[in-house]
Amino acid sequence: MLSTTVILLLGLLALSVAAAASVGILGLALSELFSPLPLANAIGELAWGSSAEFLLVAIPLYVLMGELLVSSGVAGRMYAAVAKWVSWLPGGLMNANIGASALFSATSGSSVATAATISTLALPEQRKAGYSAPLFLGSIAAGGTLGILIPPSINMIVFALIANVSVPKLYLAATLPAVVLAGLFVLLIICACLVRPGLAGERPVVTWRERIESLLHLIPPLAIFALVIGVIYGGIATASESAALGVIAALLLAWYKKALTIATLRRAFESTMRTTGMIILITLSAFFLNFVLSSIGLTTSLVQFVTGLELSTMGTMLAIILFYILLGCFMDTLAMLVTTAPLTVPIVMALGFDPIWFGVMLILLCEMGQLTPPFGMNLFVVHSIRGEGKFIDVIYGALPFCLILLLMLGILLVFPQLALWLPTQMSSVS
C-alpha cells in the first residue's frame, strides 16, 4: 500500500499534473485500489463540509488585503522608507529587500506575492546602483519566502486545518524564528559584502531628516499588522474576523491615498479570486485525500513502518527533513504541504514532538522549496519580473540563503523553545 502510494505520487509529479488534480487523483486511485467502500461518493459531502470551515474565509481576505496595499502604493513607499534606514549597512539595498519583504509579509501572507512586489520595486534600483546581480536577486527571492513564515501566513492556516492545531499559537510560534531568520539573511549579506566589497554596489546618500520623514510611510503597514494580529491575541476576533478588519483598514487607506478606483478594485478582486481559487481547490482535494488515507489505514501503517525502522528519534526527524528538502525541489510548496502533512504529522507526534513546533519546521522547509531548483517558485517570479539575464543568476544568488535556512532548521532542532516559548506564555496567561 505504501509503495503504491509513493509510486503514484512520483508518477503524477513526473507528468507535471496540476497540484489540485494530483492530490485528487491520488485520493481516487487509493480509494479504488484499497477500499472496499466507494469512498469517492463522499467527495460532495467532504467538499461542502470542509469549504464551510469558517477559518477558510481568512484566505481570500488576507490575499485581498495584500493586493489593496500594493494598489494603493503603500508597498512602494514602504520599500523606499526601509531603504533609507538600512542602506548604510554593507549591502545597502539588499538589506532593504529583506526588511521590506518582512514588513510586506506581515500584511500579505503569501511568498509569491511578496517576491513579486519587492521585485517590481527593487530591480530598477539594482540596475541604477550597479549591484551584483546574483546576490541581489537572491536577496529578493529569499526575502519573499518570509511571506509564508511571518503572520498572517496562508500556508499556516492550511497546516492548522490539516493538523488540527491553533492558528494563533502557530502564528506565535513562527514569530521569533521569523525575526531570527530575517536577521540571519541580513547578516549573510553584510558578511558577503565585507568579504567582497564589489558585491555591495553604490551606497545611496541619505540624510537623517530624510530618514525621519520616511517613518510616516512605515506607519500604515505596521498599523495594519498590529490591528490584524493584535485583535487575535487580544481575544477580540478570530483569524477570519481579523482578516476582515485588515481588508477594511486597507480599503480606508487606499481611499485616503486616493487610489480607491474601480480599476484598482477590479484588479485586486480578480487577482484575489485567481489565487483563492487555486488555494481552496488544493485544500479541498487535500481533505478528500486525508479522508481516504484514514479510511484505508495508510496513516497508521506508515507510523508503524517508520517506528519499525528502529531509528533514533532525531534520526527519524532528520530523515523527514531530508525527504522534504528533496520533495521541495520538484513540488509546489502548498501542494507538498497538503499532500504530506497528513502522513508526517502523526509520525512526528508519535515521536513525541510538538505539532506546533513541527508546523514551523514544515513552513521553513516549504520556504526552502521556494528557493531550490529546478522548480523553486520564487526563482521564477524574480527572473520573470527581471525580464533579462540568465536564470542561473537567480539560482546562484539563492543558494547561500538556502544554507541559512538549513542553519535555521538546525537551530530549531537544538532549541525548540525558540518556537514554543511564546505559545507557552500565551497558554499560561489564558
Side-chain angles (χ1 to χ4, degrees):
M1 186 190 303
L2 181 58
S3 59
T4 303
T5 303
V6 173
I7 291 171
L8 285 173
L9 179 59
L10 293 177
L12 291 168
L13 291 176
L15 293 172
S16 299
V17 178
S22 295
V23 176
I25 291 171
L26 181 60
L28 289 171
L30 293 176
S31 171
E32 291 296 320
L33 290 171
F34 300 109
S35 174
L37 301 175
L39 299 181
N41 293 346
I43 290 178
E45 185 175 349
L46 285 169
W48 173 257
S50 55
S51 60
E53 173 66 50
F54 184 57
L55 187 57
L56 286 177
V57 177
I59 293 176
L61 292 174
Y62 282 137
V63 175
L64 179 58
M65 181 174 65
E67 292 290 338
L68 289 170
L69 290 176
V70 173
S71 301
S72 62
V74 170
R77 288 185 285 270
M78 176 194 70
Y79 181 83
V82 172
K84 286 181 172 64
W85 279 94
V86 301
S87 58
W88 62 273
L89 291 169
L93 290 179
M94 289 185 283
N95 298 306
N97 294 341
I98 303 299
S101 294
L103 282 178
F104 187 75
S105 298
T107 55
S108 167
S110 167
S111 174
V112 172
T114 301
T117 301
I118 303 303
S119 293
T120 304
L121 301 170
L123 287 175
E125 301 300 324
Q126 180 256 328
R127 299 184 185 100
K128 292 178 188 176
Y131 284 88
S132 166
L135 189 60
F136 194 92
L137 298 171
S139 69
I140 300 174
T145 64
L146 296 171
I148 58 174
L149 182 63
I150 295 177
S153 165
I154 293 172
N155 287 45
M156 284 190 183
I157 293 175
V158 175
F159 177 83
L161 286 169
I162 294 172
N164 194 27
V165 296
S166 164
V167 172
K169 287 186 177 181
L170 198 54
Y171 280 177
L172 277 176
T175 301
L176 289 180
V179 172
V180 173
L181 181 61
L184 289 174
F185 282 163
V186 170
L187 183 61
L188 169 66
I189 293 169
I190 291 173
C191 292
C193 292
L194 288 176
V195 173
R196 295 183 57 190
L199 299 175
E202 298 178 11
R203 292 190 193 180
V205 178
V206 182
T207 65
W208 276 103
R209 180 178 179 179
E210 290 175 322
R211 288 192 178 103
I212 293 171
E213 289 175 348
S214 70
L215 288 176
L216 291 173
H217 301 309
L218 297 177
I219 293 175
L222 289 174
I224 291 177
F225 172 73
L227 172 68
V228 171
I229 300 302
V231 294
I232 295 177
Y233 299 138
I236 300 171
T238 64
S240 299
E241 291 164 348
S242 73
L245 289 173
V247 170
I248 293 171
L251 284 168
L252 292 173
L253 184 60
W255 171 77
Y256 177 75
K257 298 293 184 181
K258 295 182 173 56
L260 193 61
T261 64
I262 297 298
T264 297
L265 288 174
R266 180 178 178 179
R267 185 165 56 249
F269 289 153
E270 286 180 351
S271 181
T272 300
M273 286 163 47
R274 283 195 299 269
T275 303
T276 303
M278 175 194 70
I279 294 172
I280 296 297
L281 187 57
I282 292 174
T283 305
L284 295 184
S285 299
F287 273 109
F288 173 64
L289 178 61
N290 296 352
F291 170 70
V292 173
L293 295 179
S294 299
S295 299
I296 65 177
L298 181 60
T299 304
T300 304
S301 299
L302 184 59
V303 172
Q304 293 173 346
F305 171 76
V306 172
T307 54
L309 294 176
E310 298 183 352
L311 295 174
S312 66
T313 300
M314 190 56 67
T316 305
M317 180 53 66
L318 291 174
I320 291 173
I321 290 173
L322 179 60
F323 163 74
Y324 273 112
I325 291 173
L326 294 175
L327 194 60
C329 294
F330 303 99
M331 196 172 187
D332 173 76
T333 54
L334 184 59
M336 179 174 72
L337 189 154
V338 299
T339 305
T340 60
L343 298 172
T344 54
V345 169
I347 296 173
V348 168
M349 293 180 68
L351 293 172
F353 291 104
D354 191 300
I356 295 288
W357 170 84
F358 181 66
V360 178
M361 293 286 288
L362 185 50
I363 295 299
L364 284 169
L365 288 163
C366 287
E367 286 190 74
M368 188 175 292
Q370 298 278 43
L371 297 180
T372 48
F375 298 117
M377 185 59 69
N378 281 20
L379 304 178
F380 286 100
V381 169
V382 173
H383 180 65
S384 63
I385 293 177
R386 185 189 184 198
E388 62 183 23
K390 299 178 180 179
F391 181 59
I392 194 70
D393 289 341
V394 193
I395 295 176
Y396 283 151
L399 287 178
F401 295 96
C402 289
L403 296 178
I404 295 297
L405 282 165
L406 282 174
L407 174 62
M408 191 68 227
L409 288 166
I411 291 172
L412 281 175
L413 276 173
V414 178
F415 304 105
Q417 284 303 116
L418 182 65
L420 296 177
W421 182 74
L422 281 177
T424 303
Q425 295 302 308
M426 187 183 80
S427 299
S428 62
V429 170
S430 59

